[in-house]
Amino acid sequence: MDSKSNGNNGAMLNSISNHQQSLSLSGTSNIAWEMEDPATKTYMKAMAERALWHLAKGNSPVCKSITESRALLCFAVLLEKGSKYVQYNSDMALMEITAVAEEDDELRRLGTFCKI
């Protein structure tokens, strides 16, 4: 990530904090998500992808959970339509899941993804 986008992280976190204070998320999370500004949404998607990537590192149960859920479909959509940073984190998460699958027969048998 370039230094320009690093400088924006503080502003985005502040924006997220301000939005969280002004919106009640209990029971209205979809409405609240739709009301978020695009920069905040992009940042949150990128951070979620990054978290999944790091959780998947060498962790077969997490990779199985991701593979058995809708997460792989979400990764594919974000790889196609996400911002550059979201695409990078999605790609890294998928590569990590593939690496774990190369060592885990059961994960490989799930067969819901191919080698990247």
Side-chain angles (χ1 to χ4, degrees):
M1 180 162 57
D2 62 24
S3 60
K4 185 176 181 180
S5 58
N6 270 339
N8 290 335
N9 287 349
M12 284 184 195
L13 287 174
N14 189 30
S15 174
I16 291 168
S17 176
N18 289 340
H19 283 292
Q20 286 175 342
Q21 290 172 359
S22 65
L23 295 173
S24 170
L25 297 181
S26 60
T28 60
S29 60
N30 287 336
I31 294 169
W33 178 251
E34 294 304 319
M35 293 173 59
E36 286 291 352
D37 68 295
T40 300
K41 283 182 177 180
T42 298
Y43 180 75
M44 292 170 72
K45 287 176 187 176
M47 291 301 98
E49 294 296 324
R50 184 173 181 228
L52 285 172
W53 160 29
H54 288 287
L55 284 170
K57 282 184 182 177
N59 193 326
S60 204
V62 169
C63 291
K64 286 175 190 170
S65 179
I66 290 169
T67 301
E68 292 171 342
S69 71
R70 290 183 30 192
L72 286 180
L73 177 59
C74 293
F75 285 138
V77 170
L78 291 171
L79 276 171
E80 184 179 329
K81 298 180 181 182
S83 70
K84 187 181 281 189
Y85 190 48
V86 171
Q87 288 176 344
Y88 172 79
N89 287 323
S90 295
D91 189 41
M92 295 304 291
L94 288 170
M95 287 194 305
E96 189 58 45
I97 292 168
T98 301
V100 172
E102 289 174 356
E103 304 297 322
D104 185 318
D105 292 336
E106 184 181 346
L107 182 56
R108 236 186 350 266
R109 277 193 296 271
L110 289 172
T112 56
F113 61 93
C114 60
K115 187 170 182 172
I116 298 170

